[in-house]
Amino acid sequence: MAADLRTFLAQLDERGLVERVEREVDPATEVGRLMRELDGARRAGLFTRVRGSEMALVYNLVPTRETVALALGAEPAAVRDAFAEALRGRLEPVRVDDASVQEVVRLGDDADLRSLPLVTHSEKDAGPYITAGVVLARDPASGKRNVSFNRMMLAGPREAGIRTMPPQQLGVIHERAEQGGEDLPVAIAVGVHPADSLAAATSLPPGEDELALAGGLRGEPVRLVRGVSVDLDVPADAEVVLEGRVRAGVREPEGPFGDFLQFYVPELRNHRFELTAITHRRDPIFQTMSAGSREDVNLLGVSREVVIADAVRSSGAELVDLRLGPTILGASIAIRQRYPGEAKNVGLAAIGAYSWLKVCVVVDEDVDVHDPDDVWWAVTARTSPDRAIRVVEGAPAFPRDPHGVHASRVVVDATYPVGEDAAFERKRPPGGDRLDLAEWVTPP
């Protein structure tokens, strides 16, 4: 059996990481609030009765590093290495004839986006959105495939606004088609294995196939089948595929939308998707994601961490660990420092390698970069701000910045002075390694 959303959901369920919601839920007023609770619980949520749709809905498949590791068949500490290995060992997708995603085919007027369990994520969003859609398109110039995430706002039974513009590759591809007066055929796969989502969230150079990376991450090729209404291959084991085209020369209002920085992006004139077919499994499980959630940061973060790790190692530093978060504009890096000022050099190397990195905190090897409380402890306990903070002025970190809040970057050296280990040794309980509390607590 090929790895897909269902096989992964079963793995989560075996570990007690799935919460089932069997009461009917309103996707406009209730699901978004329940998604926030699932974020806090760090559990996946499976909604079996969503008002207005016959499809189930799943959310929060990879809210932790441990669940990302589970998706990759790796240990949590080896996630970055597993991703780097997959980059070197990509597996090209294969074409098949048996496609579970085409068990049900709806064409023409039978294909209606309103049949999907689309969620209104934030109270001021312009409407319900598709947020977990993996968009597949082919460059009309090179014939190469591109795979990416793009938000889509419901605009009618067969229309949706789609957010894409250059320099994002899909925007470049659509611009080329548009210059030739052509619509751009696209397919949107919803409900795929997290390895496929991780690949789609990776910014590969133009012409490199994200599905080959997905194959490397899975350890098996992604299975593809020909679309029923577009000249594209689509993931055979997805839950749902939406086929159609992004229209040439058409821009319509889209937004507001609560974006990944937890603010609303305003209404913009964005591209328009026109639906030609919906195919899906019997009893499909639709997927949604929340912009800026832990799941979103986990999917976007791993590939960018690999870039930062390479830069840190190239500086000559001994990297212990690193983590992006709580947004992909911030990073915590642990090193085994060797000389005064090395932490600042590491931070500068990181922000030079990753153009969106705005805040970089460098800590000692005894700090857990996956625990924001531990990182913030180091900042407050081990730094003198006048010496620890290096602001890089006039170096924008994020291009969409009409208010000037991303116009500079900062490196925070939260390491203790080199050679003063004894003075800054952290207190520990006596007796050695940690104990498992569950072995000591009296059951009720």
Side-chain angles (χ1 to χ4, degrees):
M1 179 183 296
D4 59 12
L5 183 146
R6 296 186 186 207
T7 60
F8 185 71
L9 194 59
Q11 289 179 287
L12 294 180
D13 204 17
E14 289 171 1
R15 291 159 176 78
L17 297 175
V18 180
E19 301 287 355
R20 280 178 168 74
V21 180
E22 296 184 351
R23 285 178 52 182
E24 184 181 77
V25 291
D26 186 341
T29 61
E30 294 171 339
V31 173
R33 286 184 286 169
L34 292 170
M35 286 165 56
R36 180 168 291 189
E37 298 304 313
L38 290 165
D39 287 338
R42 304 196 180 192
R43 296 284 193 274
L46 180 62
F47 302 89
T48 59
R49 295 174 58 208
V50 182
R51 188 172 302 162
S53 178
E54 296 181 356
M55 296 185 183
L57 179 70
V58 71
Y59 172 68
N60 218 28
L61 290 176
V62 285
T64 65
R65 196 70 161 201
E66 288 73 21
T67 48
V68 175
L70 180 64
L72 300 183
E75 292 299 317
V79 163
R80 238 180 355 264
D81 290 341
F83 186 90
E85 181 63 28
L87 277 172
R88 294 188 292 269
R90 305 179 203 187
L91 296 175
E92 293 297 324
V94 295
R95 179 86 66 81
V96 298
D97 296 323
D98 58 321
S100 53
V101 77
Q102 292 177 353
E103 289 173 342
V104 178
V105 176
R106 303 188 186 279
L107 297 166
D109 292 339
D110 289 336
D112 191 334
L113 294 170
R114 297 172 301 180
S115 68
L116 308 174
L118 302 185
V119 176
T120 301
H121 292 258
S122 305
E123 64 179 351
K124 293 185 178 180
D125 284 359
Y129 271 81
I130 298 168
T131 54
V134 174
V135 181
L136 299 97
R138 187 169 56 240
D139 188 332
S142 67
K144 300 292 186 179
R145 178 170 37 233
N146 176 250
V147 184
S148 61
F149 281 105
N150 301 80
R151 71 174 187 255
M152 299 176 65
M153 183 190 79
L154 180 67
R158 299 181 64 190
E159 285 197 346
I162 181 167
R163 169 70 162 81
T164 178
M165 59 184 61
Q168 186 206 35
Q169 287 187 43
L170 182 62
V172 172
I173 289 171
H174 180 261
E175 189 174 70
R176 288 180 181 144
E178 199 169 45
Q179 288 171 351
E182 299 290 336
D183 296 339
L184 180 69
V186 297
I188 299 95
V190 185
V192 297
H193 191 275
D196 304 349
S197 297
L198 188 58
T202 301
S203 297
L204 293 177
E208 296 188 12
D209 188 358
E210 289 83 3
L211 292 186
L213 172 58
L217 292 169
R218 289 162 159 264
E220 62 179 9
V222 175
R223 292 163 21 102
L224 299 177
V225 68
R226 206 63 173 167
V228 299
S229 67
V230 292
D231 184 22
L232 293 170
D233 288 336
V234 304
D237 301 302
E239 293 290 321
V240 179
V241 167
L242 313 175
E243 299 182 4
R245 51 183 172 264
V246 181
R247 294 164 59 192
V250 177
R251 305 291 187 275
E252 298 287 349
E254 181 267 327
F257 177 72
D259 207 355
F260 80 103
L261 290 176
Q262 311 301 322
F263 308 132
Y264 290 96
V265 291
E267 179 184 293
L268 300 167
R269 295 186 66 80
N270 275 324
H271 298 71
R272 208 66 158 184
F273 167 79
E274 184 177 279
L275 181 73
T276 55
I278 297 177
T279 73
H280 60 79
R281 294 179 176 221
R282 298 185 185 95
D283 301 318
I285 304 172
F286 201 76
Q287 185 182 2
T288 192
M289 283 197 279
S290 179
S293 65
R294 288 189 178 94
E295 179 178 38
D296 190 29
V297 173
N298 282 334
L299 292 173
L300 290 166
V302 175
S303 62
R304 290 155 177 84
E305 287 180 17
V306 170
V307 172
I308 294 171
D310 288 345
V312 171
R313 293 190 183 103
S314 294
S315 76
E318 186 176 350
L319 175 66
V320 175
D321 206 355
L322 75 93
R323 183 70 182 269
L324 280 182
T327 75
I328 58 169
L329 304 187
S332 303
I333 304 174
I335 62 169
R336 193 168 286 114
Q337 58 171 337
R338 303 165 299 166
Y339 59 85
E342 184 175 30
K344 288 190 177 66
N345 282 343
V346 164
L348 292 171
I351 64 176
Y354 172 37
S355 62
W356 282 19
L357 183 55
K358 183 170 80 168
V359 179
C360 183
V361 181
V362 184
V363 297
D364 292 293
E365 61 189 286
D366 62 339
V367 176
D368 182 0
V369 295
H370 304 279
D371 181 355
D373 285 346
D374 211 31
V375 173
W376 189 241
W377 167 83
V379 172
T380 58
R382 287 180 169 174
T383 63
S384 177
D386 63 329
R387 300 192 301 271
I389 297 173
R390 170 70 182 273
V391 176
V392 183
E393 298 180 356
F398 181 55
R400 194 175 67 236
D401 186 22
H403 305 290
V405 298
H406 306 299
S408 61
R409 308 195 204 188
V410 63
V411 172
V412 180
D413 178 357
T415 61
Y416 59 75
V418 174
E420 298 189 23
D421 305 49
F424 288 89
E425 181 182 2
R426 298 182 70 170
K427 65 177 187 177
R428 305 286 184 192
D433 293 337
R434 301 179 66 175
L435 296 176
D436 184 354
L437 185 63
E439 296 179 0
W440 293 77
V441 172
T442 302

